[in-house]
Every structure is written in structure tokens, then in C-alpha cells.
Amino acid sequence: MIYIVEVFSGEEFNILNRIKNELDDSIILDSYVPMKVIKKKYLGEWHNDLFIAFPGYIFIESSDGVKLYYEIKKLYTFIKLLGVSKNKKEVESLSTEEEEFIYHLLGKDSKYIINSSDALIKENKIVEVLSGPLKGFEGKISRVNLHKRTATILVNIMNREIEMELSINLIREIQLF
């Protein structure tokens, strides 16, 4: 099961290193900060730059949320495990649907990186995703910035709606007269 830890934005990798080095390995199966590829144009060329996909969040895979909660408390820093009940006897993980969505975005051999999607722009400015992490999620695309080559999607994670900007490779459909 995947649990979410909320941290100060910009501290994700510092806290991730502490989690990996200081906490019990038998409770934490995996921990990561998902990254995303965003295309940026500078020096006259397009470059693939990496950015944190969910700023302020660390993803932890564990089989026991309550033990994870008590392990996280050992760090003595300003972090919060999301989904902890008031009596601290239950911890909510991502739903199966949310986990599948995260795994779909990351792909099979991603190393926790969300890659670009190939998209076709049709004559009436309808976006059709041909391949990549946005394939099958066209309905979640809230806006497309053709100049920046990005698509913004709305993602629900633990009852929080998060806007996420992902990179797209544009393929324009040519209209024949």
C-alpha cells in the first residue's frame, strides 16, 4: 500500500534521505519522490528538465500504516503522514484506483519519472493522446498550453484535488484542402 508524507516544499529529498537511512527497512518497502519531465526551450532548443511531480509530498510503500506512523514520528521534523485517524490506530493509504493511476503515470520502468506523452492536435483544437502517461486520461485534461507544450490534469489524491502539469510532444494534424 502507498502512503503519503507531507513535507515542506523543497525539503522532499532531504527528508527522503532521512527516511531511507534512519527508519526501519522492514516497515518501509520503498520510498520515493515522483519526478516529471517538462520540456523547456532555452538557447533556441528544447530540453527535457526534471521537476518534482507532487511538490511537498513523499510516497512510501508499506504493509503497515500504523507502524509507519510511529517510525515517521522518530524523525522529529515537520512532516505529516496523511490519513492518520484521531486515535492513531488507523492510517489511510491511497485507494486502489489512486495507486493504479500513480503506477500508470510512472510507467513500468520509470525509476519514478513521469515521461512526456505524444499528443495529436486536431483541427478543432481537440487533443488526442497517442502514447505516454496521459493515454486514456484525456477526460482529466483541464487545459493545454500549446506554447509551453504542457497539459494540465486534475488528480485526486487522498481527497485532495491537485493540479498537475505534464509535458506533451505535439504532433499537429495537417488539414488537406
Side-chain angles (χ1 to χ4, degrees):
M1 294 186 276
I2 299 177
Y3 297 90
I4 307 281
V5 175
E6 187 175 29
V7 301
F8 286 124
S9 189
E11 290 294 313
E12 295 90 351
F13 288 105
N14 293 335
I15 302 297
L16 179 65
N17 286 334
R18 289 191 61 200
I19 287 170
K20 288 184 176 192
N21 294 326
E22 298 176 28
L23 301 185
D24 187 357
D25 290 343
S26 66
I27 294 169
I28 298 171
L29 306 173
D30 198 5
S31 56
Y32 51 92
V33 175
M35 301 293 288
K36 63 182 176 181
V37 173
I38 295 289
K39 292 187 175 297
K40 296 278 185 177
K41 190 172 188 177
Y42 50 89
L43 301 175
E45 294 180 18
W46 287 98
H47 300 269
N48 291 330
D49 292 343
L50 282 178
F51 293 91
I52 295 174
F54 300 97
Y57 297 101
I58 298 172
F59 290 61
I60 298 178
E61 293 183 25
S62 177
S63 58
D64 190 336
V66 175
K67 286 182 182 174
L68 176 64
Y69 168 75
Y70 288 106
E71 280 293 307
I72 292 291
K73 284 186 63 95
K74 290 180 185 177
L75 292 178
Y76 297 108
T77 187
F78 295 105
I79 64 174
K80 174 184 170 186
L81 184 63
L82 298 182
V84 178
S85 66
K86 291 192 187 277
N87 63 10
K88 298 178 180 46
K89 293 187 180 190
E90 294 178 16
V91 178
E92 184 181 343
S93 65
L94 290 183
S95 69
T96 305
E97 180 181 288
E98 292 167 334
E99 279 190 28
E100 287 173 1
F101 180 71
I102 296 297
Y103 288 137
H104 177 80
L105 284 179
L106 292 173
K108 292 187 191 306
D109 299 318
S110 70
K111 303 291 184 210
Y112 313 116
I113 297 174
I114 302 169
N115 288 308
S116 298
S117 296
D118 293 329
L120 180 69
I121 307 299
K122 296 190 174 184
E123 63 184 60
N124 49 1
K125 294 189 179 181
I126 291 177
V127 178
E128 179 185 341
V129 180
L130 303 174
S131 66
L134 291 175
K135 178 95 173 131
F137 291 99
E138 289 85 355
K140 291 189 178 220
I141 297 175
S142 61
R143 69 180 170 263
V144 174
N145 186 328
L146 298 176
H147 180 70
K148 287 181 160 185
R149 298 184 184 196
T150 60
T152 303
I153 61 172
L154 295 174
V155 181
N156 279 321
I157 302 271
M158 297 195 70
N159 300 322
R160 296 175 183 209
E161 191 169 79
I162 299 170
E163 270 194 352
M164 183 178 190
E165 189 176 69
L166 297 175
S167 186
I168 56 175
N169 301 316
L170 292 178
I171 302 168
R172 293 187 187 263
E173 188 173 85
I174 298 171
Q175 185 177 12
L176 298 173
F177 295 101

